[in-house]
Amino acid sequence: MGSASSAYRIIYLDVDGRIQKVVFSHCCSPCDIKELFCTAVGLPRSTTFSLLDASGAMVSIDPTMPSNSERSPYKVVPLSGGQLPGKSEKNSVFLNPSFSLSRAFKINELKAEVTNRLAMLEKRVELEGIKVVEIEKCRSDIKKLREEMTSRNSRVHSLICSSCLDDKKLTPHRDVPSYPKYHLSKETIDTLRQPIFDVWQWEPNEMLSCLEHMYHDLGLVRDFNINPITLKRWLLCIHDNYRNNPFHNFRHCFCVAQMMYSMIYLCNLQEKFTQIDILILMTAAVCHDLDHPGYNNTYQINARTELAVRYNDISPLENHHCAVAFQIFSQPDCNIFSNFDAEAFKQIRQGTITLILATDMARHGEILDSFKQKLETFDFTNEEHVTCLKMVLIKCCDISNEVRPMEVAEPWVDCLLEEYFMQSDREKAEGLPVAPFMDRDKVTKPTAQIGFIKFVLIPMFETVMKLFPQIEEAMLQPLRESRDRYEELKQIDEAMNEKKKSENLSMGGQKK
């Protein structure tokens, strides 16, 4: 068996004085290597560039190119209009905001992940004796990783405001946003205020129109003088910055916002809260999972991703959702708060951040216990009491799918399990701990839902019911019915498993 160095090659690049390490396989094509180099140094994939060695001679970019060391890196020289990241005549933050922000959010994480995973894949080839089948599988894995990296990188660009074509999602260069305003029927308007609303019947543009209607209907546009076109642009940008995950996607964002809208009407919250409180509740619901990567906080922390490092393992995803939300608000075309003075904006910002951070389920017990302590003497004029209630309300809305009718709720379980299995498969591949409730070999729909409904959902909604008895019929009763239905399904599953065991034992006896 050959040495590890024969399976892959390590190249060091000099990017305007910054050394970047790149690892690639002998199986990679020159085109693949060039694209990997572009990604590593932060250049567009189409950039033409040369590599120069210490003597100034050009180096051929191919699988046989000589390895070098950190002390003698190849200098990267773009030839087709590309510019090395960080190199500018003036302040790079102003001349190249796209690069600075993309680095701040994703690029370093992607580069580290690519380097580490390519090295891991190549070592697998070496350990398996460079079998042809394994090589082909690793090639497929590497190709899939590159596609995933490209997809994720493109989503980073959607967060950045610049004159590039890819960045129009953040600041649309047009007078009217690209989604039409639908005329909502009276039936739709009435049902939109209720938990029974069927969120699966609507296309993205229709959901955007429904969200737009909510802000108008609640009087937020009128009371805070929100520019209607800015509201449209902001909602369009929100849509563009949710990823196409099985569960944590724009439709989930819409579900949470629609349930919050329902609770505002069901609990008559506009009689209890200020309009700024209502604005914070709705806006936090819309923004609460922005740019969710599909892998939860446990994965981020165990895998030591850049998000976990950046936020010191403290609610990394929720902190990221807040950061993305206010990066969007920082764009004038998307700032629905532009008419607020500094003090009012500070109040909205702090309130929105507090609510989004409250959606971290690791804080569930802490938040609910704090709310229970305030219930006996709850005072709607006490700011601390109201903030705690708002935190509990957004938590209820975030995990409220089982409140909805069975035909609306059940597909969400499939979506969530798909995302769980995607994560647990990755954790197994990377040698990370796997939670039993996310392992496709250990979990079923009934087992996934029964405990969650009995020990998380019902106790939380029962606590809220002490302040708002009107939610019992519309929200608690559906939860109890859902619990009973999944317990019946569990009994059926167990009976079928017992029957299979008996049949297998019987057949085993006959063979003897």
Side-chain angles (χ1 to χ4, degrees), residues 358-412:
T359 62
D360 182 357
M361 286 302 293
R363 299 181 58 202
H364 177 78
E366 161 211 334
I367 293 170
L368 195 57
D369 287 346
S370 176
F371 179 60
K372 287 177 179 178
Q373 291 170 12
K374 297 172 175 59
L375 269 180
E376 293 298 325
T377 58
F378 195 89
D379 181 1
F380 280 98
T381 65
N382 183 314
E383 185 179 345
E384 184 182 346
H385 286 204
V386 170
T387 296
C388 191
L389 172 58
K390 288 189 294 184
M391 292 166 74
V392 172
L393 289 175
I394 195 169
K395 285 174 57 58
C396 286
C397 295
D398 187 24
I399 54 177
S400 62
N401 286 325
E402 291 299 335
V403 168
R404 301 181 185 276
M406 179 192 72
E407 63 274 13
V408 180
E410 189 167 2
W412 281 115

Side-chain angles (χ1 to χ4, degrees), residues 467-478:
L467 267 188
F468 304 107
Q470 58 267 48
I471 75 167
E472 179 165 23
E473 181 180 352
M475 295 183 165
L476 261 168
Q477 192 54 37

Side-chain angles (χ1 to χ4, degrees), residues 406-435:
M406 179 192 72
E407 63 274 13
V408 180
E410 189 167 2
W412 281 115
V413 183
D414 295 320
C415 294
L416 185 60
L417 289 178
E418 182 182 348
E419 198 165 293
Y420 280 174
F421 297 158
M422 180 175 71
Q423 175 172 321
S424 61
D425 289 347
R426 182 168 180 170
E427 287 169 333
K428 291 174 184 177
E430 295 178 1
L432 298 174
V434 178

Side-chain angles (χ1 to χ4, degrees), residues 179-193 197 201-217 235 254 258 261:
Y179 73 89
K181 177 70 164 64
Y182 291 94
H183 176 73
L184 303 181
S185 68
K186 184 179 184 305
E187 180 185 4
T188 296
I189 290 172
D190 290 343
T191 314
L192 194 60
R193 295 181 178 183
F197 187 80
Q201 299 300 316
W202 306 87
E203 295 301 319
N205 284 346
E206 295 169 321
M207 289 187 280
L208 287 168
S209 289
C210 287
L211 288 170
E212 187 181 354
H213 169 81
M214 294 175 200
Y215 272 74
H216 282 278
D217 184 51
L235 289 171
F254 176 74
Q258 188 271 325
Y261 180 66

Side-chain angles (χ1 to χ4, degrees), residues 443-457:
V443 71
T444 65
K445 263 194 193 180
T447 58
Q449 291 303 95
I450 291 171
F452 187 67
I453 295 171
K454 286 175 67 173
F455 302 115
V456 177
L457 289 176

Side-chain angles (χ1 to χ4, degrees), residues 53 108 127 417 497:
D53 64 14
N108 289 339
L127 292 172
L417 289 178
N497 288 335

Side-chain angles (χ1 to χ4, degrees), residues 298-313:
T298 301
Y299 174 82
Q300 305 297 325
I301 294 166
N302 289 339
R304 301 176 186 174
T305 65
E306 187 182 342
L307 281 182
V309 172
R310 184 187 308 154
Y311 295 113
N312 303 308
D313 295 351

